[in-house]
Amino acid sequence: MKISYAIILIAVCAIGTGARGQNHPNPSSTASCPLAADISPVHLYGLWRAEFDGLPQSATILFERHAELAGSVSGGVNRDGVKALLAGDVDQGEFTLEESLDGQRIAATWLGAVVEGSCGKEIRGIWNNTSNNASYPFVLRKQPGWQ
């Protein structure tokens, strides 16, 4: 997995400041709630909170449009000041994400599904640390103010 340093810098800075682009797309501007299978990467853009069963710490995640891969997201995760890079996608309600501490090697994987009826604002699955194969259930929830 190769992630550009410009994206790394932007994502890490945005996580710490809560920054948001002026032309932030608003995929939920339609009156209806999309089905889980209809969620696309644009629905993921924004700030999320991750909680893990069995781990004391939660994490903050910022998803943005992937600069190099159409139909994917990139961004960063912040766990009490420890930052990592993210890249992944959602397809037919199935969520996949790779996490990297150095932009080269995969440190963790996230596999899950968009929760039906959540309008694309909740994802549940399993987070796997690739260095020790420890796995933990996770819940991602989109933070208020990020449509």
Side-chain angles (χ1 to χ4, degrees):
M1 172 166 83
K2 185 175 180 182
I3 301 173
S4 83
Y5 288 108
I7 291 175
I8 295 168
L9 182 59
I10 291 168
V12 169
C13 291
I15 288 173
T17 64
R20 178 173 154 181
Q22 280 183 321
N23 296 323
H24 182 71
N26 186 357
S28 64
S29 62
T30 60
S32 66
C33 174
L35 298 173
D38 294 333
I39 298 300
S40 68
V42 73
H43 292 96
L44 300 181
Y45 299 166
L47 192 64
W48 293 72
R49 189 74 178 163
E51 296 175 359
F52 305 89
D53 287 346
L55 290 177
Q57 66 191 27
S58 58
T60 303
I61 294 174
L62 179 67
F63 288 127
E64 299 177 307
R65 182 181 63 83
H66 197 293
E68 298 170 1
L69 299 172
S72 295
V73 295
S74 65
V77 58
N78 183 336
R79 289 182 188 86
D80 295 328
V82 176
K83 297 178 173 100
L85 306 171
L86 300 170
D89 58 35
V90 62
D91 183 42
Q92 296 293 310
E94 297 298 315
F95 175 79
T96 59
L97 193 64
E98 293 177 342
E99 180 177 334
S100 175
L101 295 170
D102 63 7
Q104 300 297 317
R105 291 179 297 274
I106 297 171
T109 58
W110 305 62
L111 300 174
V114 176
V115 174
E116 196 65 63
S118 73
C119 303
K121 295 181 181 180
E122 185 172 316
I123 299 169
R124 292 181 178 263
I126 301 293
W127 177 83
N128 182 53
N129 182 329
T130 59
S131 67
N132 62 11
N133 286 325
S135 295
Y136 299 94
F138 72 82
V139 177
L140 288 176
R141 290 187 180 95
K142 196 165 200 181
Q143 296 303 286
W146 291 86
Q147 303 298 320

